[in-house]
Amino acid sequence: MILLPKITRRRALIGSLGLTGLALAGCDKIAGSDSVSRVLSAGEAFTRTSQRLVLGKNAPLAREYKASDISPNFKANGTVQPETDVYKQAQGDNFATWRLGVFGLVTKPLSLSLAELQRLPARTQITRHDCVEGWSAIGGWTGVPLGLLLQAAGMQPSARYAVFHCADLYDGDPYYESIDLIDAFHPQTLLAYAMNGSPLSVAHGAPLRLRLERQLGYKQAKYVMGVELVDSFARLGKGKGGYWEDNGYEWYAGI
Ligand SMILES: Nc1nc2c(c(=O)[nH]1)N[C@H]1C(S)=C(S)[C@@H](COP(=O)(O)O)O[C@H]1N2
Ligand SMILES: [Mo]
């Protein structure tokens, strides 16, 4: 994995000040805060249509369900056990030394342990996951709103997409995904560490996976090791913005 050395070198970049700022910021406040509005109103930076910008501002929520709706068997799909050395090592110590890197076009790169992520403001949501293969399942997810982390990392004006670098290879290629900043700041976009009230299992993406509730299953990156802000994803993989996109699927996989 090319990325990991880079992340490691940027360790411990979240100072106590940064964390305090994060901890004080409630999710609701973040969703409507000035800096988020500033991000969303950086109009020229976006290639989405104006309709998409309007939708982004109003942030329609994906439907949320009751605990009693949770599927007893939520299928695990795609990779269910990453075989890379870096993942095996992290799994070996139950993710105690694992860290999430937030880097790229940010002003203050972050490096956060699982315990640190778990101390940040969290959101829980029960939603339906729709896989392009034709199955769906309802699950409960708990995690940190991605927008909170991006706000703390400070976005450079040229940032347009958040890229999720995963620890697994699929058919020999690194799994990765990307979303625009409207989706990145959507209140239901989480980096989730728990599913149905328990720590995320390895099959479902431990220790951290993306939940992005208005798009299809393949966008829900599991085994997230790093979030990189970029101005273009042309230089990643085959240039289409994600593993499945590189293999012919849509980049915007709206449900
Ligand atoms: N890193 C990684 N993320 C991934 C995949 C994968 O193979 N590797 N598969 C995707 C697909 S196609 C689906 S449907 C969901 C499955 O998530 P689940 O295993 O929790 O059901 O994860 C998505 N995210
Ligand atoms: Mo899927």
Side-chain angles (χ1 to χ4, degrees):
M1 299 289 303
I2 13 163
L3 272 172
L4 297 168
K6 190 157 54 176
I7 296 170
T8 319
R9 266 184 270 120
R10 296 173 193 252
R11 67 173 52 257
L13 291 161
I14 184 155
S16 49
L17 274 178
L19 262 183
T20 313
L22 261 178
L24 289 176
C27 312
D28 293 340
K29 212 168 114 202
I30 287 295
S33 75
D34 284 354
S35 48
V36 174
S37 310
R38 255 184 274 130
V39 168
L40 293 177
S41 61
E44 311 78 1
F46 294 98
T47 54
R48 300 306 110 207
T49 61
S50 56
Q51 189 195 14
R52 199 107 162 76
L53 285 171
V54 169
L55 284 172
K57 270 192 208 154
N58 295 334
L61 297 181
R63 177 168 172 198
E64 295 194 12
Y65 295 79
K66 303 187 297 291
S68 57
D69 297 324
I70 288 175
S71 304
N73 296 305
F74 194 118
K75 181 181 159 83
N77 205 33
T79 302
V80 293
Q81 169 61 69
E83 299 293 347
T84 56
D85 289 348
V86 69
Y87 189 82
K88 288 286 196 181
Q89 189 266 319
Q91 189 178 0
D93 70 7
N94 204 20
F95 307 106
T97 53
W98 172 97
R99 297 184 80 83
L100 172 76
V102 182
F103 57 97
L105 297 173
V106 298
T107 54
K108 291 166 289 175
L110 310 178
S111 170
L112 294 156
S113 70
L114 191 53
E116 285 169 335
L117 285 165
Q118 288 165 345
R119 285 199 290 273
L120 298 177
R123 177 181 162 89
T124 294
Q125 60 204 26
I126 300 173
T127 52
R128 197 184 71 191
H129 174 108
D130 294 316
C131 174
V132 74
E133 293 167 0
W135 58 272
S136 299
I138 293 175
W141 306 99
T142 302
V144 184
L146 176 64
L148 204 54
L149 297 181
L150 297 186
Q151 195 186 38
M155 318 231 313
Q156 293 185 22
S158 53
R160 291 173 67 188
Y161 306 102
V163 176
F164 304 89
H165 295 285
C166 305
D168 59 319
L169 304 177
Y170 198 95
D171 260 351
D173 290 327
Y175 200 98
Y176 74 104
E177 261 305 337
S178 62
I179 61 176
D180 66 21
L181 296 180
I182 292 174
D183 270 336
F185 279 91
H186 186 277
Q188 289 171 318
T189 299
L190 309 180
L191 286 174
Y193 45 74
M195 178 184 186
N196 301 337
S198 301
L200 210 52
S201 65
V202 168
H204 288 293
L208 197 70
R209 66 131 7 123
L210 179 65
R211 287 308 309 176
L212 173 74
E213 306 297 356
R214 300 181 301 175
Q215 295 201 48
L216 289 171
Y218 64 86
K219 300 295 289 190
Q220 322 295 321
K222 305 195 282 188
Y223 320 112
V224 173
M225 304 293 284
V227 180
E228 181 182 13
L229 288 187
V230 297
D231 57 0
S232 153
F233 37 72
R235 290 176 298 274
L236 296 160
K238 297 195 184 102
K240 298 292 198 311
Y243 175 84
W244 285 112
E245 289 85 334
D246 286 340
N247 288 281
Y249 287 81
E250 290 293 315
W251 176 75
Y252 190 82
I255 292 174

